[in-house]
Structures are given as structure tokens and as C-alpha cells.
PDB file of all heavy atoms in Angstrom:
ATOM      1  N   GLY A   3     110.006 116.131 105.955  1.00  0.00           N
ATOM      2  CA  GLY A   3     109.578 114.836 105.424  1.00  0.00           C
ATOM      3  C   GLY A   3     110.514 113.720 105.842  1.00  0.00           C
ATOM      4  O   GLY A   3     110.069 112.614 106.180  1.00  0.00           O
ATOM      5  N   ASP A   4     111.810 113.995 105.831  1.00  0.00           N
ATOM      6  CA  ASP A   4     112.785 112.977 106.226  1.00  0.00           C
ATOM      7  C   ASP A   4     112.649 112.621 107.706  1.00  0.00           C
ATOM      8  O   ASP A   4     112.784 111.444 108.088  1.00  0.00           O
ATOM      9  CB  ASP A   4     114.208 113.458 105.936  1.00  0.00           C
ATOM     10  CG  ASP A   4     114.533 113.474 104.448  1.00  0.00           C
ATOM     11  OD1 ASP A   4     113.767 112.876 103.663  1.00  0.00           O
ATOM     12  OD2 ASP A   4     115.544 114.098 104.073  1.00  0.00           O
ATOM     13  N   VAL A   5     112.388 113.620 108.548  1.00  0.00           N
ATOM     14  CA  VAL A   5     112.169 113.349 109.972  1.00  0.00           C
ATOM     15  C   VAL A   5     110.964 112.435 110.154  1.00  0.00           C
ATOM     16  O   VAL A   5     111.006 111.459 110.930  1.00  0.00           O
ATOM     17  CB  VAL A   5     111.985 114.661 110.763  1.00  0.00           C
ATOM     18  CG1 VAL A   5     111.478 114.380 112.183  1.00  0.00           C
ATOM     19  CG2 VAL A   5     113.296 115.427 110.828  1.00  0.00           C
ATOM     20  N   TYR A   6     109.881 112.722 109.459  1.00  0.00           N
ATOM     21  CA  TYR A   6     108.692 111.887 109.574  1.00  0.00           C
ATOM     22  C   TYR A   6     108.970 110.460 109.110  1.00  0.00           C
ATOM     23  O   TYR A   6     108.492 109.493 109.726  1.00  0.00           O
ATOM     24  CB  TYR A   6     107.545 112.494 108.766  1.00  0.00           C
ATOM     25  CG  TYR A   6     106.944 113.754 109.373  1.00  0.00           C
ATOM     26  CD1 TYR A   6     106.124 114.582 108.629  1.00  0.00           C
ATOM     27  CD2 TYR A   6     107.199 114.121 110.686  1.00  0.00           C
ATOM     28  CE1 TYR A   6     105.564 115.738 109.174  1.00  0.00           C
ATOM     29  CE2 TYR A   6     106.660 115.262 111.246  1.00  0.00           C
ATOM     30  CZ  TYR A   6     105.838 116.061 110.486  1.00  0.00           C
ATOM     31  OH  TYR A   6     105.283 117.201 111.031  1.00  0.00           O
ATOM     32  N   LEU A   7     109.727 110.319 108.032  1.00  0.00           N
ATOM     33  CA  LEU A   7     110.085 108.973 107.562  1.00  0.00           C
ATOM     34  C   LEU A   7     110.935 108.251 108.612  1.00  0.00           C
ATOM     35  O   LEU A   7     110.699 107.075 108.910  1.00  0.00           O
ATOM     36  CB  LEU A   7     110.847 109.069 106.244  1.00  0.00           C
ATOM     37  CG  LEU A   7     110.029 109.435 105.006  1.00  0.00           C
ATOM     38  CD1 LEU A   7     110.957 109.756 103.833  1.00  0.00           C
ATOM     39  CD2 LEU A   7     109.089 108.287 104.620  1.00  0.00           C
ATOM     40  N   GLU A   8     111.907 108.946 109.176  1.00  0.00           N
ATOM     41  CA  GLU A   8     112.798 108.340 110.171  1.00  0.00           C
ATOM     42  C   GLU A   8     112.041 107.901 111.417  1.00  0.00           C
ATOM     43  O   GLU A   8     112.338 106.851 112.007  1.00  0.00           O
ATOM     44  CB  GLU A   8     113.880 109.349 110.572  1.00  0.00           C
ATOM     45  CG  GLU A   8     114.862 109.678 109.473  1.00  0.00           C
ATOM     46  CD  GLU A   8     115.666 110.942 109.791  1.00  0.00           C
ATOM     47  OE1 GLU A   8     115.489 111.501 110.914  1.00  0.00           O
ATOM     48  OE2 GLU A   8     116.446 111.379 108.933  1.00  0.00           O
ATOM     49  N   GLN A   9     111.060 108.697 111.835  1.00  0.00           N
ATOM     50  CA  GLN A   9     110.355 108.451 113.090  1.00  0.00           C
ATOM     51  C   GLN A   9     109.070 107.644 112.913  1.00  0.00           C
ATOM     52  O   GLN A   9     108.400 107.331 113.905  1.00  0.00           O
ATOM     53  CB  GLN A   9     110.029 109.788 113.775  1.00  0.00           C
ATOM     54  CG  GLN A   9     111.254 110.618 114.110  1.00  0.00           C
ATOM     55  CD  GLN A   9     112.189 109.926 115.078  1.00  0.00           C
ATOM     56  OE1 GLN A   9     111.757 109.242 116.001  1.00  0.00           O
ATOM     57  NE2 GLN A   9     113.491 110.087 114.862  1.00  0.00           N
ATOM     58  N   GLY A  10     108.714 107.315 111.678  1.00  0.00           N
ATOM     59  CA  GLY A  10     107.475 106.576 111.446  1.00  0.00           C
ATOM     60  C   GLY A  10     106.233 107.391 111.731  1.00  0.00           C
ATOM     61  O   GLY A  10     105.199 106.845 112.153  1.00  0.00           O
ATOM     62  N   ILE A  11     106.311 108.716 111.506  1.00  0.00           N
ATOM     63  CA  ILE A  11     105.195 109.623 111.751  1.00  0.00           C
ATOM     64  C   ILE A  11     104.441 109.853 110.446  1.00  0.00           C
ATOM     65  O   ILE A  11     105.057 110.103 109.400  1.00  0.00           O
ATOM     66  CB  ILE A  11     105.704 110.951 112.334  1.00  0.00           C
ATOM     67  CG1 ILE A  11     106.252 110.723 113.743  1.00  0.00           C
ATOM     68  CG2 ILE A  11     104.614 112.019 112.351  1.00  0.00           C
ATOM     69  CD1 ILE A  11     106.969 111.927 114.333  1.00  0.00           C
ATOM     70  N   LYS A  12     103.124 109.766 110.494  1.00  0.00           N
ATOM     71  CA  LYS A  12     102.295 109.968 109.311  1.00  0.00           C
ATOM     72  C   LYS A  12     102.160 111.462 109.015  1.00  0.00           C
ATOM     73  O   LYS A  12     101.665 112.220 109.847  1.00  0.00           O
ATOM     74  CB  LYS A  12     100.909 109.366 109.541  1.00  0.00           C
ATOM     75  CG  LYS A  12      99.932 109.568 108.376  1.00  0.00           C
ATOM     76  CD  LYS A  12     100.207 108.618 107.236  1.00  0.00           C
ATOM     77  CE  LYS A  12      99.175 108.746 106.137  1.00  0.00           C
ATOM     78  NZ  LYS A  12      99.349 107.748 105.068  1.00  0.00           N
ATOM     79  N   PRO A  13     102.595 111.918 107.830  1.00  0.00           N
ATOM     80  CA  PRO A  13     102.420 113.336 107.510  1.00  0.00           C
ATOM     81  C   PRO A  13     100.948 113.666 107.241  1.00  0.00           C
ATOM     82  O   PRO A  13     100.246 112.911 106.567  1.00  0.00           O
ATOM     83  CB  PRO A  13     103.242 113.526 106.235  1.00  0.00           C
ATOM     84  CG  PRO A  13     104.107 112.309 106.127  1.00  0.00           C
ATOM     85  CD  PRO A  13     103.343 111.202 106.788  1.00  0.00           C
ATOM     86  N   GLU A  14     100.512 114.784 107.785  1.00  0.00           N
ATOM     87  CA  GLU A  14      99.231 115.370 107.426  1.00  0.00           C
ATOM     88  C   GLU A  14      99.571 116.539 106.504  1.00  0.00           C
ATOM     89  O   GLU A  14     100.015 117.593 106.957  1.00  0.00           O
ATOM     90  CB  GLU A  14      98.494 115.856 108.671  1.00  0.00           C
ATOM     91  CG  GLU A  14      97.176 116.553 108.367  1.00  0.00           C
ATOM     92  CD  GLU A  14      96.633 117.284 109.582  1.00  0.00           C
ATOM     93  OE1 GLU A  14      97.336 118.179 110.095  1.00  0.00           O
ATOM     94  OE2 GLU A  14      95.519 116.956 110.013  1.00  0.00           O
ATOM     95  N   ILE A  15      99.394 116.344 105.210  1.00  0.00           N
ATOM     96  CA  ILE A  15      99.825 117.337 104.225  1.00  0.00           C
ATOM     97  C   ILE A  15      98.769 118.428 104.136  1.00  0.00           C
ATOM     98  O   ILE A  15      97.693 118.224 103.570  1.00  0.00           O
ATOM     99  CB  ILE A  15     100.073 116.673 102.857  1.00  0.00           C
ATOM    100  CG1 ILE A  15     101.117 115.563 102.991  1.00  0.00           C
ATOM    101  CG2 ILE A  15     100.529 117.726 101.849  1.00  0.00           C
ATOM    102  CD1 ILE A  15     101.326 114.761 101.728  1.00  0.00           C
ATOM    103  N   GLU A  16      99.096 119.574 104.700  1.00  0.00           N
ATOM    104  CA  GLU A  16      98.128 120.668 104.762  1.00  0.00           C
ATOM    105  C   GLU A  16      98.215 121.494 103.479  1.00  0.00           C
ATOM    106  O   GLU A  16      99.286 121.993 103.116  1.00  0.00           O
ATOM    107  CB  GLU A  16      98.379 121.520 106.002  1.00  0.00           C
ATOM    108  CG  GLU A  16      98.207 120.721 107.289  1.00  0.00           C
ATOM    109  CD  GLU A  16      97.929 121.573 108.510  1.00  0.00           C
ATOM    110  OE1 GLU A  16      98.167 122.797 108.460  1.00  0.00           O
ATOM    111  OE2 GLU A  16      97.457 121.010 109.515  1.00  0.00           O
ATOM    112  N   ILE A  17      97.064 121.618 102.813  1.00  0.00           N
ATOM    113  CA  ILE A  17      96.974 122.286 101.522  1.00  0.00           C
ATOM    114  C   ILE A  17      96.141 123.548 101.682  1.00  0.00           C
ATOM    115  O   ILE A  17      94.941 123.484 101.947  1.00  0.00           O
ATOM    116  CB  ILE A  17      96.339 121.362 100.462  1.00  0.00           C
ATOM    117  CG1 ILE A  17      97.135 120.054 100.313  1.00  0.00           C
ATOM    118  CG2 ILE A  17      96.198 122.084  99.130  1.00  0.00           C
ATOM    119  CD1 ILE A  17      98.528 120.218  99.765  1.00  0.00           C
ATOM    120  N   PHE A  18      96.787 124.697 101.529  1.00  0.00           N
ATOM    121  CA  PHE A  18      96.092 125.975 101.606  1.00  0.00           C
ATOM    122  C   PHE A  18      95.762 126.536 100.227  1.00  0.00           C
ATOM    123  O   PHE A  18      94.921 127.423 100.112  1.00  0.00           O
ATOM    124  CB  PHE A  18      96.944 126.996 102.362  1.00  0.00           C
ATOM    125  CG  PHE A  18      97.113 126.694 103.818  1.00  0.00           C
ATOM    126  CD1 PHE A  18      98.093 125.818 104.252  1.00  0.00           C
ATOM    127  CD2 PHE A  18      96.297 127.290 104.775  1.00  0.00           C
ATOM    128  CE1 PHE A  18      98.262 125.541 105.601  1.00  0.00           C
ATOM    129  CE2 PHE A  18      96.452 127.025 106.126  1.00  0.00           C
ATOM    130  CZ  PHE A  18      97.437 126.140 106.541  1.00  0.00           C
ATOM    131  N   ASP A  19      96.449 126.050  99.197  1.00  0.00           N
ATOM    132  CA  ASP A  19      96.221 126.514  97.835  1.00  0.00           C
ATOM    133  C   ASP A  19      96.584 125.393  96.874  1.00  0.00           C
ATOM    134  O   ASP A  19      97.354 124.482  97.220  1.00  0.00           O
ATOM    135  CB  ASP A  19      97.054 127.760  97.540  1.00  0.00           C
ATOM    136  CG  ASP A  19      96.374 128.712  96.583  1.00  0.00           C
ATOM    137  OD1 ASP A  19      95.438 128.276  95.872  1.00  0.00           O
ATOM    138  OD2 ASP A  19      96.759 129.898  96.538  1.00  0.00           O
ATOM    139  N   ALA A  20      96.022 125.462  95.664  1.00  0.00           N
ATOM    140  CA  ALA A  20      96.134 124.336  94.732  1.00  0.00           C
ATOM    141  C   ALA A  20      97.576 124.018  94.364  1.00  0.00           C
ATOM    142  O   ALA A  20      97.933 122.855  94.152  1.00  0.00           O
ATOM    143  CB  ALA A  20      95.312 124.628  93.472  1.00  0.00           C
ATOM    144  N   GLY A  21      98.422 125.037  94.258  1.00  0.00           N
ATOM    145  CA  GLY A  21      99.807 124.784  93.884  1.00  0.00           C
ATOM    146  C   GLY A  21     100.554 123.912  94.867  1.00  0.00           C
ATOM    147  O   GLY A  21     101.559 123.276  94.504  1.00  0.00           O
ATOM    148  N   MET A  22     100.079 123.839  96.098  1.00  0.00           N
ATOM    149  CA  MET A  22     100.744 123.009  97.098  1.00  0.00           C
ATOM    150  C   MET A  22     100.616 121.520  96.786  1.00  0.00           C
ATOM    151  O   MET A  22     101.424 120.716  97.270  1.00  0.00           O
ATOM    152  CB  MET A  22     100.200 123.322  98.486  1.00  0.00           C
ATOM    153  CG  MET A  22     100.531 124.716  98.962  1.00  0.00           C
ATOM    154  SD  MET A  22      99.971 125.008 100.660  1.00  0.00           S
ATOM    155  CE  MET A  22     100.451 126.724 100.871  1.00  0.00           C
ATOM    156  N   LEU A  23      99.614 121.150  96.001  1.00  0.00           N
ATOM    157  CA  LEU A  23      99.513 119.746  95.581  1.00  0.00           C
ATOM    158  C   LEU A  23     100.751 119.335  94.790  1.00  0.00           C
ATOM    159  O   LEU A  23     101.269 118.221  94.956  1.00  0.00           O
ATOM    160  CB  LEU A  23      98.260 119.532  94.736  1.00  0.00           C
ATOM    161  CG  LEU A  23      96.914 119.729  95.436  1.00  0.00           C
ATOM    162  CD1 LEU A  23      95.777 119.566  94.426  1.00  0.00           C
ATOM    163  CD2 LEU A  23      96.738 118.763  96.590  1.00  0.00           C
ATOM    164  N   GLY A  24     101.224 120.232  93.935  1.00  0.00           N
ATOM    165  CA  GLY A  24     102.426 119.941  93.159  1.00  0.00           C
ATOM    166  C   GLY A  24     103.667 119.869  94.017  1.00  0.00           C
ATOM    167  O   GLY A  24     104.575 119.068  93.754  1.00  0.00           O
ATOM    168  N   VAL A  25     103.732 120.694  95.057  1.00  0.00           N
ATOM    169  CA  VAL A  25     104.868 120.647  95.981  1.00  0.00           C
ATOM    170  C   VAL A  25     104.920 119.285  96.676  1.00  0.00           C
ATOM    171  O   VAL A  25     105.977 118.649  96.766  1.00  0.00           O
ATOM    172  CB  VAL A  25     104.775 121.786  97.011  1.00  0.00           C
ATOM    173  CG1 VAL A  25     105.877 121.653  98.058  1.00  0.00           C
ATOM    174  CG2 VAL A  25     104.855 123.142  96.325  1.00  0.00           C
ATOM    175  N   ALA A  26     103.764 118.844  97.160  1.00  0.00           N
ATOM    176  CA  ALA A  26     103.713 117.540  97.818  1.00  0.00           C
ATOM    177  C   ALA A  26     104.104 116.428  96.852  1.00  0.00           C
ATOM    178  O   ALA A  26     104.866 115.512  97.210  1.00  0.00           O
ATOM    179  CB  ALA A  26     102.316 117.288  98.382  1.00  0.00           C
ATOM    180  N   GLU A  27     103.599 116.498  95.623  1.00  0.00           N
ATOM    181  CA  GLU A  27     103.934 115.468  94.623  1.00  0.00           C
ATOM    182  C   GLU A  27     105.434 115.432  94.354  1.00  0.00           C
ATOM    183  O   GLU A  27     106.027 114.358  94.204  1.00  0.00           O
ATOM    184  CB  GLU A  27     103.167 115.745  93.331  1.00  0.00           C
ATOM    185  CG  GLU A  27     103.407 114.706  92.252  1.00  0.00           C
ATOM    186  CD  GLU A  27     102.645 115.001  90.969  1.00  0.00           C
ATOM    187  OE1 GLU A  27     102.037 116.087  90.875  1.00  0.00           O
ATOM    188  OE2 GLU A  27     102.666 114.147  90.065  1.00  0.00           O
ATOM    189  N   TYR A  28     106.064 116.607  94.317  1.00  0.00           N
ATOM    190  CA  TYR A  28     107.505 116.682  94.087  1.00  0.00           C
ATOM    191  C   TYR A  28     108.258 115.913  95.175  1.00  0.00           C
ATOM    192  O   TYR A  28     109.156 115.102  94.875  1.00  0.00           O
ATOM    193  CB  TYR A  28     107.950 118.139  94.070  1.00  0.00           C
ATOM    194  CG  TYR A  28     109.447 118.335  94.044  1.00  0.00           C
ATOM    195  CD1 TYR A  28     110.153 118.350  92.841  1.00  0.00           C
ATOM    196  CD2 TYR A  28     110.174 118.492  95.231  1.00  0.00           C
ATOM    197  CE1 TYR A  28     111.533 118.514  92.818  1.00  0.00           C
ATOM    198  CE2 TYR A  28     111.550 118.659  95.216  1.00  0.00           C
ATOM    199  CZ  TYR A  28     112.217 118.671  94.007  1.00  0.00           C
ATOM    200  OH  TYR A  28     113.596 118.825  93.993  1.00  0.00           O
ATOM    201  N   PHE A  29     107.889 116.145  96.438  1.00  0.00           N
ATOM    202  CA  PHE A  29     108.623 115.496  97.526  1.00  0.00           C
ATOM    203  C   PHE A  29     108.284 114.008  97.636  1.00  0.00           C
ATOM    204  O   PHE A  29     109.116 113.221  98.106  1.00  0.00           O
ATOM    205  CB  PHE A  29     108.386 116.231  98.842  1.00  0.00           C
ATOM    206  CG  PHE A  29     109.145 117.529  98.919  1.00  0.00           C
ATOM    207  CD1 PHE A  29     108.484 118.739  98.888  1.00  0.00           C
ATOM    208  CD2 PHE A  29     110.524 117.520  98.996  1.00  0.00           C
ATOM    209  CE1 PHE A  29     109.197 119.933  98.935  1.00  0.00           C
ATOM    210  CE2 PHE A  29     111.251 118.708  99.045  1.00  0.00           C
ATOM    211  CZ  PHE A  29     110.581 119.919  99.011  1.00  0.00           C
TER     212      PHE A  29
END
């Protein structure tokens, strides 16, 4: 995530299971 912020790259947050939504929210 920090690399994407530094480089101005848009993250494509890939979600394979519902719990990953919480992981993304945490970061």
C-alpha cells in the first residue's frame, strides 16, 4: 500500500472472501 501511495498507483483491492473487506478497511 505504501508503494502504491508513493508512486501514485491506484490499488485494485482484490477480494476473494468477505473477511478481506475488513483487512482493506484496516489499512
